[in-house]
Amino acid sequence: QVQLVESGGGLVQPGGSLRLSCTASGSVFRISVMAWYRQASGKERELVAAAPSGGNINYVDSVKGRFTISRDNAKNMVYLSMNSLKPEDTAVYYCNAAGRRGFEAWGQGTLVTVSS
C-alpha cells in the first residue's frame, strides 16, 4: 500500500502564495500519476492539477497561470505551488496517487484558507 501525507496549508491573504507538499511512502513503485484535488465546503471534490509519469501536466482552468504542480520522483514527493491566491481557492487540498490495476491512494488533506 501507499501512504500520502500533505503539508503546507494555512491561512493566507488574497494575492498571497502557498506551497503544498505531499510525501508518498510504501509501495511507491505502483504510482503512475500524482495529482492534487480540492474540495470547498458544500462543493464537490475537483481535480486541480495532475502530473502523469510520462504525459503532459494538466490544470483546471481556474488555476492556470497561478498554480504549478511538480514531482520529485527521487524523493517520492509532489508539490503544488500556488500564487495569486483568491478567496475561491479556499478548500481542503488532497494529494492523490494512482497507478495501474485500480491502484489509488489519498492523503488526509490540508486546509488552505484565503481570506483578508
Side-chain angles (χ1 to χ4, degrees), residues 11-88:
L11 175 64
V12 63
Q13 293 186 347
S17 300
L18 283 175
R19 184 177 68 186
L20 307 182
S21 300
C22 174
T23 303
S25 61
S27 302
V28 296
F29 63 89
R30 301 189 67 181
I31 299 173
S32 295
V33 181
M34 298 201 76
W36 288 94
Y37 288 74
R38 68 184 180 186
Q39 186 168 22
S41 180
K43 296 186 177 181
E44 299 290 331
R45 185 175 299 187
E46 68 171 348
L47 176 66
V48 178
S53 295
N56 294 328
I57 294 172
N58 296 115
Y59 299 93
V60 67
D61 286 345
S62 60
V63 309
K64 287 181 178 178
R66 299 189 298 119
F67 290 12
T68 302
I69 187 172
S70 59
R71 293 177 65 170
D72 187 338
N73 292 325
K75 297 181 179 179
N76 299 314
M77 297 187 69
V78 63
Y79 306 91
L80 185 68
S81 296
M82 305 182 294
N83 300 314
S84 302
L85 283 162
K86 305 175 181 179
E88 50 263 45

Side-chain angles (χ1 to χ4, degrees), residues 6 20 37-38 67 80 82 89 91-95 109-110 112:
E6 303 102 330
L20 307 182
Y37 288 74
R38 68 184 180 186
F67 290 12
L80 185 68
M82 305 182 294
D89 295 318
V92 177
Y93 285 71
Y94 297 91
C95 182
T110 184
V112 173

